[in-house]
Amino acid sequence: MTGEKKKKKRLNRSILLAKKIIIKDGGTPQGIGEPSVYHAVVVIFLEFFAWGLLTTPMLAVLHQTFPQHTFLMNGLIHGVKGLLSFLSAPLIGALSDVWGRKSFLLLTVFFTCAPIPLMKISPWWYFAVISMSGVFAVTFSVIFAYVADITQEHERSTAYGLVSATFAASLVTSPAIGAYLSVTYGDTLVVILATAVALLDICFILVAVPESLPEKMRPASWGAPISWEQADPFASLRKVGQDSTVLLICITVFLSYLPEAGQYSSFFLYLRQVIRFTSETVAAFIAVVGILSILAQTVVLGMLMRSIGNKNTILLGLGFQILQLAWYGFGSQPWMMWAAGAVAAMSSITFPAISAIVSRNADPDQQGVVQGMITGIRGLCNGLGPALYGFVFYLFHFEILMVTPKHYETAIIPGPPFLFGACSVLLSLLVALFIPEHTGPGMRPGAYKKHSNGAQSHSHSPQGSGAEGKEPLLEDSSV
């Protein structure tokens, strides 16, 4: 009995210590300075910089581990990860409303980066842990909630833009650095460096990041029940059919983002192993397309929205996406990939334009609900898209060992999944033609009101959902 009491005392001490690490007694934030957007920016930069370094080594390890079914296994790994993220993101968001952001930033960054050192220890465990890490690989959701806690509504678009630009900047620079170090010093050094950057990120959260959600703003800290309706990943999807305009927008998003998510998961592998890009060329491709996509989503998007309107901007973006995917599907030369990459950057204007048309036509207290539906559709696509692309590659017997340059150049359809994606986006374009430019009160059904309690109870949640539309083109490309 005495031993059991001692064990319970130790456990209670451990729980109290963990709580004190995250929040000081009295609810005072522990960290450097007041909570700010710059804390969120550093966390995102370090996490994705670490993964960007591994772009070149990961492609090589993937091919070595699954030489017979490289594309299929790549699709399954990313598909499982995406589906788990879709299922867990609302729950983690709801828990962070009760327990605070800092603890969940620590949790998501730790589990997202946990597979990194396993790349050189055990490739099989590396890919297994990547797929399972999807349960916690939702750092962006917590980061957007963190930013929403510390900004006013009129400041959020700028703050989200800063976070997204940092995300893009980390992926523009890190693959090139990783490729150079891999060629010069070997993959082991790259993995060690990426692990060190990930550990630095974890230490930064522990030491420097203050809690953004004070104790008094929470329902009841460290033990309060959460809203299970808010934590249900399918809750927002069940409301899709309640308004015809929202239904059209959601179908458009599904049909256009499904091939986009699949492309992100497999395209750099495709360039490396099939088009025979070198590691340096793949890194340069990521950098160029990333920079062009940032320009497209800032300068070009603003000009188009002012000159041709929301709906026409969506249609133009979908047109660019069809051209890009068809070019990838029929293209067989490296220069074609570069040209299609420039078109891909222009296609990145679609989702911000969709978010804008939703934001313009929905009441302020319905923003979170409607944007949440669209974000839920995208989350589902992040799971289905990679698995679908891997399966289409497999159906066409498109395995690395079977594809020689001669065979590839004489094939009628060199890249079948990309052509399939172009057909899906064409259907999306046809659906988008029926989206009204201005819906006025039509997009304000009373059915949303009774479902929006979970979104309204914490003002950060709606904004966090909508903000994901501001992520750049290279989202999920290397992780």
Side-chain angles (χ1 to χ4, degrees), residues 147-209:
V147 171
D149 291 339
I150 58 178
T151 54
Q152 299 296 322
E153 190 170 345
H154 66 278
E155 302 171 329
R156 280 185 194 143
S157 59
T158 304
Y160 289 144
L162 181 60
V163 172
S164 295
T166 304
F167 168 84
S170 68
L171 290 181
V172 164
T173 55
S174 56
I177 295 171
Y180 171 77
L181 293 175
S182 178
V183 171
T184 309
Y185 301 104
D187 290 348
T188 303
L189 178 66
V190 180
V191 174
I192 293 172
L193 179 60
T195 304
V197 173
L199 289 173
L200 177 63
D201 197 11
I202 292 169
C203 292
F204 178 79
I205 296 170
L206 277 171
V207 176
V209 175

Side-chain angles (χ1 to χ4, degrees), residues 66-411:
F66 308 108
Q68 297 294 332
H69 301 293
T70 309
F71 281 111
L72 178 63
M73 293 307 298
N74 177 67
L76 291 177
I77 289 164
H78 286 276
V80 170
K81 180 182 177 182
L83 283 173
L84 289 176
S85 296
F86 165 71
L87 294 172
S88 66
L91 176 60
I92 288 179
L95 288 172
S96 74
D97 290 343
V98 176
W99 292 347
R101 311 296 180 207
K102 181 169 179 173
S103 54
F104 283 93
L105 275 180
L106 189 63
L107 189 71
T108 55
V109 170
F110 176 80
F111 280 99
T112 302
C113 297
I116 291 176
L118 294 174
M119 176 180 281
K120 298 305 291 183
I121 298 171
S122 171
W124 280 91
W125 275 107
Y126 169 72
F127 289 113
V129 174
I130 279 183
S131 58
M132 292 298 104
S133 71
V135 175
F136 296 103
V138 289
T139 308
F140 259 109
S141 299
V142 185
I143 281 291
F144 281 133
Y146 187 97
V147 171
D149 291 339
I150 58 178
T151 54
Q152 299 296 322
E153 190 170 345
H154 66 278
E155 302 171 329
R156 280 185 194 143
S157 59
T158 304
Y160 289 144
L162 181 60
V163 172
S164 295
T166 304
F167 168 84
S170 68
L171 290 181
V172 164
T173 55
S174 56
I177 295 171
Y180 171 77
L181 293 175
S182 178
V183 171
T184 309
Y185 301 104
D187 290 348
T188 303
L189 178 66
V190 180
V191 174
I192 293 172
L193 179 60
T195 304
V197 173
L199 289 173
L200 177 63
D201 197 11
I202 292 169
C203 292
F204 178 79
I205 296 170
L206 277 171
V207 176
V209 175
E211 175 58 59
S212 65
L213 191 65
E215 291 269 2
K216 61 184 179 182
M217 296 294 292
R218 307 178 203 175
S221 183
W222 296 91
I226 65 169
S227 167
W228 289 107
E229 182 182 358
Q230 185 184 352
D232 181 2
F234 298 98
S236 61
L237 300 184
R238 283 195 286 268
K239 305 166 195 168
V240 166
Q242 294 176 358
D243 179 81
S244 58
T245 301
V246 175
L247 180 62
L248 289 171
I249 291 173
C250 287
I251 293 173
T252 300
V253 171
F254 181 81
L255 291 174
S256 62
Y257 195 71
L258 186 69
E260 195 172 325
Q263 177 185 332
Y264 290 153
S265 69
S266 61
F267 188 62
F268 301 136
L269 175 67
Y270 184 80
L271 289 178
R272 182 76 178 87
Q273 302 293 348
V274 179
I275 308 296
R276 309 300 177 184
F277 272 26
T278 64
S279 300
E280 295 83 357
T281 311
V282 170
F285 185 92
I286 294 172
V288 170
V289 175
I291 292 169
L292 290 176
S293 68
I294 293 171
L295 291 174
Q297 290 187 70
T298 52
V299 180
V300 178
L301 178 63
M303 293 170 57
L304 289 174
M305 296 278 274
R306 288 190 297 271
S307 58
I308 63 176
N310 265 16
K311 180 179 175 180
N312 289 331
T313 302
I314 294 170
L315 296 176
L316 184 64
L318 292 173
F320 278 120
Q321 190 178 356
I322 293 169
L323 177 60
Q324 162 227 334
L325 287 167
W327 210 332
Y328 285 150
F330 287 110
S332 59
Q333 300 295 327
W335 70 267
M336 296 180 180
M337 301 298 110
W338 283 99
V343 177
M346 282 299 301
S347 72
S348 67
I349 64 176
T350 304
F351 194 81
I354 288 176
S355 293
I357 202 170
V358 168
S359 179
R360 179 177 295 178
N361 291 291
D363 280 339
D365 62 347
Q366 299 162 20
Q367 292 285 334
V369 181
V370 183
Q371 295 278 14
M373 293 179 198
I374 296 172
T375 303
I377 294 286
R378 291 185 82 208
L380 192 60
C381 290
N382 281 330
L384 297 177
L388 181 63
Y389 262 52
F391 185 63
V392 173
F393 273 123
Y394 179 75
L395 281 181
F396 281 81
H397 307 290
F398 206 87
E399 300 305 331
I400 296 295
L401 293 181
M402 297 174 59
V403 181
T404 62
K406 182 179 179 181
H407 168 82
Y408 176 73
E409 290 175 7
T410 57

